[in-house]
Amino acid sequence: MEKKGLLIVVSGFAGSGKGTLMKRLVEDYEGYALSVSMTTRKPRPGEVHGREYFFVSKEEFEQKIETGGLIEYASYVENYYGTPRDYVEEQMAAGKDVILEIEIQGALKVKERFPESVLIYVLPPSVKELYRRLKNRGTETEDVIRKRMSRAAEESGVIERYDYIVINDEVEGSVRRLHNLIEAAHDTPGRNEEFIRNIRDDLEQLWKGEN
Ligand code: 5GP
């Protein structure tokens, strides 16, 4: 039976290591496609248009909203971020599981619109470790680190609305667990309604034939 692609939505605090996990997931396993978002924020050093993001103007972004070209979008720290529709639909139709690495407002909108999507929240093993990771990046001041940690406290309020959590203690094991739980998500009754209906119909036909 052809496996249908799922929409996999991944969120997590800054410093949870979700970006590294996603990168490793698509490198280590087949069958995944990583969606590239559109944003109005400026590129950071080293970021490439079309790889990390499609960097666009506010006008271009608003145009995309109007023409229905985004499956979700959100405003985050004074910039727009959104998921282009075409790539997601093409890849899912080709049987790929499409990964969206997006913040919580967008994630919850996706779940509302596509109830069969799988929402995963990546967490650090502890707050002490989160602080250590943010500090080790070496790019942020103590003030920025504090802001990020206070945002994490706010964001943590919605974790229960996600389907799964992945505690990112070390990359190898976390990527494997992430892949395993996506595999398991494919096999829930709710994501296999057509198959189950067909089995039932066939059984009914057989029953009728015998009586
Ligand atoms: P950054 O500016 O650090 O790259 O991303 C800021 C936040 O925006 C992150 O939490 C990231 O996951 C989220 N984000 C990136 N792309 C999208 C998107 O297409 N939609 C939504 N809703 N959030 C996104």
Side-chain angles (χ1 to χ4, degrees), residues 110-139:
V110 170
K111 190 70 178 177
E112 241 173 68
R113 284 177 202 161
F114 309 94
E116 70 286 3
S117 60
V118 184
L119 264 57
I120 302 171
Y121 209 101
V122 178
L123 288 166
S126 67
V127 171
K128 208 169 143 197
E129 174 63 13
L130 181 68
Y131 178 77
R132 197 188 65 79
R133 287 181 192 170
L134 288 172
K135 188 105 184 146
N136 277 0
R137 283 183 178 179
T139 49

Side-chain angles (χ1 to χ4, degrees), residues 10-12 14 18 35-39 41 44 47 53 72-77 81-84 100-107 109 148 155:
V10 180
S11 306
K18 61 183 189 298
S35 159
V36 177
S37 295
M38 189 170 268
T39 185
R41 91 149 157 72
R44 296 187 187 127
E47 287 185 333
Y53 285 103
E72 64 72 40
Y73 69 93
S75 183
Y76 182 89
V77 199
Y81 293 83
T83 306
L100 313 183
E101 190 199 314
I102 64 179
E103 52 65 68
I104 55 179
Q105 309 164 57
K109 269 187 243 162
R148 299 215 147 181
E155 290 177 355

Side-chain angles (χ1 to χ4, degrees), residues 8 12 19-20 48 51 56 63 87 97 147 152 155 163 177:
I8 312 293
T20 312
V48 176
R51 190 179 69 191
V56 299
Q63 171 89 23
Y87 179 81
D97 290 340
K147 282 203 182 113
E155 290 177 355
D163 298 307
R177 289 199 302 280

Side-chain angles (χ1 to χ4, degrees), residues 13-119:
F13 313 143
S16 64
K18 61 183 189 298
T20 312
L21 289 189
M22 294 314 104
K23 216 168 143 266
R24 280 292 302 275
L25 183 71
V26 295
E27 278 169 16
D28 292 3
Y29 297 93
E30 286 186 3
Y32 292 109
L34 200 53
S35 159
V36 177
S37 295
M38 189 170 268
T39 185
T40 57
R41 91 149 157 72
K42 297 277 165 287
R44 296 187 187 127
E47 287 185 333
V48 176
H49 181 80
R51 190 179 69 191
E52 278 78 15
Y53 285 103
F54 295 106
F55 298 98
V56 299
S57 65
K58 191 160 173 265
E59 291 68 34
E60 281 173 280
F61 198 101
E62 284 170 349
Q63 171 89 23
K64 195 85 176 166
I65 298 173
E66 269 165 39
T67 55
L70 300 173
I71 63 168
E72 64 72 40
Y73 69 93
S75 183
Y76 182 89
V77 199
E78 289 158 31
N79 281 302
Y80 278 135
Y81 293 83
T83 306
R85 180 182 299 282
D86 291 353
Y87 179 81
V88 170
E89 290 183 348
E90 275 161 32
Q91 296 296 316
M92 282 174 70
K96 301 261 187 184
D97 290 340
V98 181
I99 315 274
L100 313 183
E101 190 199 314
I102 64 179
E103 52 65 68
I104 55 179
Q105 309 164 57
L108 297 176
K109 269 187 243 162
V110 170
K111 190 70 178 177
E112 241 173 68
R113 284 177 202 161
F114 309 94
E116 70 286 3
S117 60
V118 184
L119 264 57

